[in-house]
């Protein structure tokens, strides 16, 4: 079970809305078993049809446990590029689809399987 901070979800929603119609992308940081922070990579690409995050830009930091990115559409499923990226890195990957409300969050493992999550 993945646990994520309630205020962080609000922050991600806000960031995704502000970035719309482009994609928002960032890394996730875990603190004492709870995802509680997003970390922006200076190499992240914010673009409409971008593949979001290059695996060459991963921060060398063990508290980074995955990624989050937005889909400016109603599709909450990972693309082939997303799955390829997930497989390289981390244990939890969030996709939040338009319009970025609580029901629009999807959590995936590095294999692309759906993960249960808890808001704390
Ligand atoms: Zn995607």
């Amino acid at each position: 079970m993945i646990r994520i901070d309630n205020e962080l979800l609000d922050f991600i929603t806000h960031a995704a809305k502000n970035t719309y119609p482009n994609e928002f992308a960032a890394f996730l940081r875990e603190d004492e078993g709870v995802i509680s922070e997003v970390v922006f990579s200076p190499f992240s690409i914010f673009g409409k049809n971008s593949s979001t995050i290059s695996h060459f830009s991963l921060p060398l930091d063990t508290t980074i446990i995955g990624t989050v990115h937005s889909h400016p559409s109603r599709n909450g499923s990972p693309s082939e590029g997303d799955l390829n990226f997930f497989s390289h890195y981390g244990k939890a990957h969030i996709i939040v689809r338009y319009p970025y409300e609580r029901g629009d969050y999807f959590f995936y493992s590095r294999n692309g399987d759906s993960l249960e999550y808890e808001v704390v």
Side-chain angles (χ1 to χ4, degrees), residues 37 51 58 68 83 110 118:
E37 206 180 326
S51 55
L58 294 174
V68 55
L83 287 172
R110 87 187 264 160
E118 183 183 17

Side-chain angles (χ1 to χ4, degrees), residues 23 50-52 69-72 75-83 86 94-95:
E23 282 190 13
S50 74
S51 55
T52 63
H69 73 281
S70 66
H71 281 179
N75 180 5
S77 302
S79 68
E80 227 167 276
D82 290 340
L83 287 172
F86 292 175
I94 301 174
I95 293 174

Side-chain angles (χ1 to χ4, degrees), residues 2-14:
I2 300 294
R3 299 166 80 209
I4 187 161
D5 181 76
N6 186 45
E7 280 174 34
L8 186 69
L9 278 185
D10 285 343
F11 176 82
I12 293 169
T13 293
H14 190 72

Side-chain angles (χ1 to χ4, degrees), residues 38 53 62 64 67 85 91 100 115:
V38 294
I53 306 166
T62 56
I64 304 290
T67 64
F85 178 72
K91 67 173 186 185
Y100 317 124
L115 294 177

